[in-house]
Amino acid sequence: MKSVFALICGLLFGAGLAMSGMTDTAKVLGFLDLFGRWDPALMFVMGGAVVVTLVGFRLVLRRSRPVCDERFNLPANRRIDRRLLAGAAVFGLGWGLYGYCPGPALSALVYLEIKTLAFVLAMISGMAVVHGWEKREAKRL
Amino acid sequence: MSMFLPALLGGLLIGVAAVGLLLLLGRIAGISGIVWGAFTGGAEAKWRWLFVAGLLVGAAGYHLLSGAPYPEPSALPLWQALLAGFVVGVGVKLGSGCTSGHGVCGLARLSLRSLVATLTFMAAGIATVFVLRHLL
């Protein structure tokens, strides 16, 4: 059941990304071009999504547990450190460089463009490089 | 307003998906974390792969059912896609999240950490486009 639910949530998420325009790199770059010919449309994506999660999360978290698990799995880290800031800044740089963040890049794979596949494979390599670096750091400590 | 309607409706749908994942699986819909976990998650990898498959099929289904054309392919060169993808991968792993985890879900949890991350990657994205389009 857990797998079916995950698939359904993924379907809705992917449909939402495609509908919203987030899988259109030109639109995303137009949105980030605040000081040029700014296209504000994508503000409504984050806006619409956050309105739903803001209310929905509150209602869901009144429950003692999710439907398919013993407890909720929520990030506990609250630290605002150099790592967070550097990571977010580097991510933003990559986002502005091409116009994809991770979700839309994955959804856009269905458009069957070789450059999108290249983006996704490079993205996973980037994650793996940081993971390897973290493991070495952990060993040294 | 009508030009903003698909963005708003798409956003609402993304929100519903994120609330659904929390309600049903008790998980945060952070795409970068889910993708990484699909490769490394062991027993918890399966649901992540299915979620990722859903992202693709959901997008295809939207275009199929609505008749909306696929977006124009990017005119940017392959090397830029590779570089950007790598940089995004490094950034989201280091910063523990992307637009969905920190933005859509973190903001809803009123996490200051996620707010700082969201403002930072928005600013960095805007700065990058500014440099590429207006300075170079």
Side-chain angles (χ1 to χ4, degrees):
Chain A
M1 217 47 215
K2 198 168 142 180
S3 301
V4 177
F5 287 145
L7 179 64
I8 293 170
C9 292
L11 283 170
L12 292 175
F13 207 110
L17 286 173
M19 183 188 291
S20 67
M22 289 293 290
T23 58
D24 184 342
T25 51
K27 218 167 162 52
V28 174
L29 294 177
F31 169 65
L32 292 175
D33 194 6
L34 195 60
F35 303 104
R37 292 182 54 187
W38 188 47
D39 174 3
L42 295 189
M43 235 176 18
F44 290 85
V45 184
M46 182 73 97
V50 170
V51 165
V52 175
T53 50
L54 207 56
V55 178
F57 277 20
R58 233 142 234 86
L59 295 175
V60 167
L61 291 174
R62 280 189 197 164
R63 297 170 53 98
S64 57
R65 46 176 285 192
V67 175
C68 296
D69 208 338
E70 298 301 314
R71 60 196 155 77
F72 290 102
N73 247 296
L74 301 171
N77 189 352
R78 308 185 69 86
R79 248 179 320 168
I80 296 166
D81 49 14
R82 278 202 344 233
R83 197 191 141 100
L84 177 81
L85 294 173
V90 168
F91 162 46
L93 171 71
W95 192 27
L97 202 53
Y98 196 74
Y100 280 145
C101 50
L106 290 163
S107 283
L109 284 174
V110 296
Y111 306 147
L112 299 179
E113 287 163 40
I114 195 76
K115 283 186 283 188
T116 308
L117 181 62
F119 181 98
V120 168
L121 293 177
M123 179 176 86
I124 293 162
S125 325
M127 293 177 176
V129 166
V130 174
H131 178 71
W133 172 76
E134 281 170 340
K135 263 171 75 177
R136 277 197 305 279
E137 282 286 295
K139 237 183 234 168
R140 235 192 312 149
L141 295 174
Chain B
M1 192 60 215
S2 67
M3 58 182 292
F4 298 141
L5 202 58
L8 181 64
L9 291 178
L12 294 175
L13 212 48
I14 291 168
V16 168
V19 172
L21 199 70
L22 187 68
L23 170 67
L24 299 166
L25 274 71
R27 298 281 180 163
I28 291 294
I31 308 297
S32 53
I34 290 176
V35 172
W36 181 250
F39 287 98
T40 58
E44 294 293 310
K46 190 177 159 203
W47 72 263
R48 293 186 166 105
W49 277 113
L50 284 161
F51 184 91
V52 170
L55 288 180
L56 275 75
V57 178
Y62 163 72
H63 288 288
L64 200 67
L65 295 178
S66 71
Y70 288 173
E72 282 289 306
S74 172
L76 297 170
L78 175 65
W79 68 262
Q80 200 163 336
L82 279 167
L83 179 65
F86 185 80
V87 169
V88 164
V90 168
V92 295
K93 192 82 181 71
L94 207 57
S96 311
C98 56
T99 337
S100 48
H102 279 311
V104 174
C105 297
L107 294 186
R109 295 180 62 219
L110 305 179
S111 155
L112 187 61
R113 176 175 150 86
S114 285
L115 176 64
V116 169
T118 304
L119 293 175
T120 305
F121 65 65
M122 290 294 308
I126 289 166
T128 303
V129 171
F130 180 74
V131 170
L132 289 177
R133 288 205 172 163
H134 306 293
L135 291 186
L136 294 183

